[in-house]
Amino acid sequence: MSRRAVVIGGSVAGMLAAAALFRSMDEVIVLERDELPDRPAPRKRLPQARHAHILLPSGRDAIRELLPVANVHGRLLASGAHEQSMTDMLGFGPQGWYRRWPTVTDDLTVTCCTRDLFDWTLREAVLGTTPVVVRRAEALGLLGTDARVTGVRVLAEGLEEDLRADLVVDASGRGSRVEHWLEGLGVTDVPTDEVDSGLVCASRIFQVPRGAEDFPLTQIEADPTASRPGRSGTLVPIEGGRWLVTLAGTRGAEPTTHPDAFTDFAFRLRHPLIGQLVSAAEPLGEVSVSHSTRNRRRDFEKAAMPEGLVVLGDAVAVFNPVHGQGMSVAALGALALSRQLRQTDVTAPGFARAVQRAAARSVSAAYAISTSQDQWFPEVVGRAPTLVDRVLSHYMGRLARVATTSYSVSAARSKVATLQAEPSRLLNTELLVAALKGPVMEPLAGPPLTFEESAFVDSMGPLAV
Ligand SMILES: Cc1cc2nc3c(=O)[nH]c(=O)nc-3n(C[C@H](O)[C@H](O)[C@H](O)COP(=O)(O)OP(=O)(O)OC[C@H]3O[C@@H](n4cnc5c(N)ncnc54)[C@H](O)[C@@H]3O)c2cc1C
């Protein structure tokens, strides 16, 4: 009998899982209940696409390995996506402005574009270079037993049918019903953790004003240790000479959809630079708001999971989006699937568990980064910080202060933040000594603008700090 994989969900995790599978299977079917547009355009079941989406270098490299011929990154750049060196962006952290180091290293470069462009490009690349097929259908449940999943119950064109599969990948996002489906098979022991700072994101697209065409990615971070609600903002250059600006506030400081309140909120961040830039730019649409921001992970790798089922992407874990990790974690999960396929047959005992365990590595790293900050905001829901958390937070604060003045410390932190190095790397001797010694230069008094950026900002009048 021919070997078939069924992937539930046709977004990032689903398309990349299909890319991982097509060489090992006779047939790969992606089930997607949404209508997928034939150009970069919004779609109903992807509301988060209205907000800033940054692709980390770890995600970019995973996609490169999964689709070596399709050149997804090149396609994105050809369509107007921006590449931004993380050491040459404008960043204001809790410890001050980061200095800029205009060395462009590929491993510290993020890709910036709309989510609509990213999804369409990825979809075109997968469907144009592999035999993977997408079927418009909704998965209703899993077939099989608590020992092995053997397929998916689907609803297509008003009719229910059973679709047999040697492997099922659930990539149906944060709303995944897989836990409920597993319960139906008798699997009930999936450990879950949640940390919810009540964050709300508000986003709006702007035309880049004349004179600001080269303004870089700009980020004003919240200060989790300030004992007040966090406010942050990110201005992302995207295709079509536009900025996508996402503002975020934790419980007690939530932004709204009101257009005037958007600019006010931007001015009330810990530094007014984004407010000033936004007030000089022409808005190109309404303000969109998202409440889908809590951190939640489900440790499928620790549960008595049936063979024949792998869960990837947001269906496993979701993170505070300000860290920009979700798509890269989805890509790294698909890469774990691809690497396991090179070692073991998809029907071999323990295959699914091995994939789930390998995929959990990037989930754990992203979750640790995100929750270690969120747990300090007022009225957070979830586990309280422990003594170890307090000591680590103090150390990370010191390290962040050094990072504002040191390329090597800043780069080491970025490697961890971009999921290219384990968080434990930040505890190595060199960095411990650097944290003890403190900053190697005077902290900056204001944003490290280039001559052109200064000229643009000055043309708008004095920058109130
Ligand atoms: C405000 C915000 C900002 C973000 N910013 C970033 C960022 O900067 N960088 C980053 O990397 N990540 C970011 N993320 C996270 C990112 O959006 C997700 O991590 C990513 O979309 C996960 O991809 P996925 O394929 O797992 O799930 P999704 O993209 O949610 O896709 C799930 C798919 O499954 C389909 N589906 C669901 N149920 C079924 C079913 N039963 N049958 C058939 N199909 C089904 C849905 O229609 C959908 O197409 C952000 C998230 C939010 C909310």
Side-chain angles (χ1 to χ4, degrees), residues 115-153:
R115 179 66 195 265
D116 294 341
L117 175 62
F118 176 79
D119 275 24
W120 175 77
T121 306
L122 179 62
R123 213 161 47 236
E124 287 284 295
V126 173
L127 300 181
T129 62
T130 74
V132 169
V133 294
V134 176
R135 198 169 153 199
R136 180 100 189 261
E138 179 174 3
L140 299 177
L142 297 171
L143 307 173
T145 63
D146 61 352
R148 180 172 279 280
V149 166
T150 55
V152 184
R153 180 110 186 121

Side-chain angles (χ1 to χ4, degrees), residues 39-85:
R39 64 200 156 83
R43 66 183 176 92
K44 197 173 148 209
R45 313 265 190 188
L46 212 67
Q48 73 264 41
R50 300 190 191 102
H51 302 273
H53 270 73
I54 289 164
L55 181 67
L56 303 179
S58 53
R60 177 205 60 202
D61 292 349
I63 296 172
R64 225 174 240 163
E65 191 173 329
L66 287 161
L67 290 161
V69 182
N71 189 16
V72 174
H73 189 240
R75 291 180 191 220
L76 286 170
L77 296 183
S79 301
H82 291 242
E83 276 194 304
Q84 170 71 54
S85 163

Side-chain angles (χ1 to χ4, degrees), residues 8-14 31-34 36 43 45-46 48-49 51-56 115 119 137-140 171-177 181 201 203 246 290 292-293 312-315 317-319 321-330:
I8 308 170
S11 181
V12 192
L31 303 175
E32 173 53 59
R33 62 182 176 185
D34 212 359
L36 297 174
R43 66 183 176 92
R45 313 265 190 188
L46 212 67
Q48 73 264 41
H51 302 273
H53 270 73
I54 289 164
L55 181 67
L56 303 179
R115 179 66 195 265
D119 275 24
E138 179 174 3
L140 299 177
S172 61
R174 66 170 55 231
S176 166
R177 308 251 309 138
W181 297 339
C201 293
S203 298
T246 293
S290 170
S292 304
T293 60
L312 294 177
D314 276 16
V318 287
F319 318 95
V322 303
H323 303 286
Q325 298 164 320
M327 298 193 300
S328 296
V329 170

Side-chain angles (χ1 to χ4, degrees), residues 44 47 52-53 64 158 225 239-240 267 277 338 427 442:
K44 197 173 148 209
H53 270 73
R64 225 174 240 163
T225 60
E239 72 275 11
F267 268 114
L277 294 170
S338 165
L427 297 172
E442 278 300 302

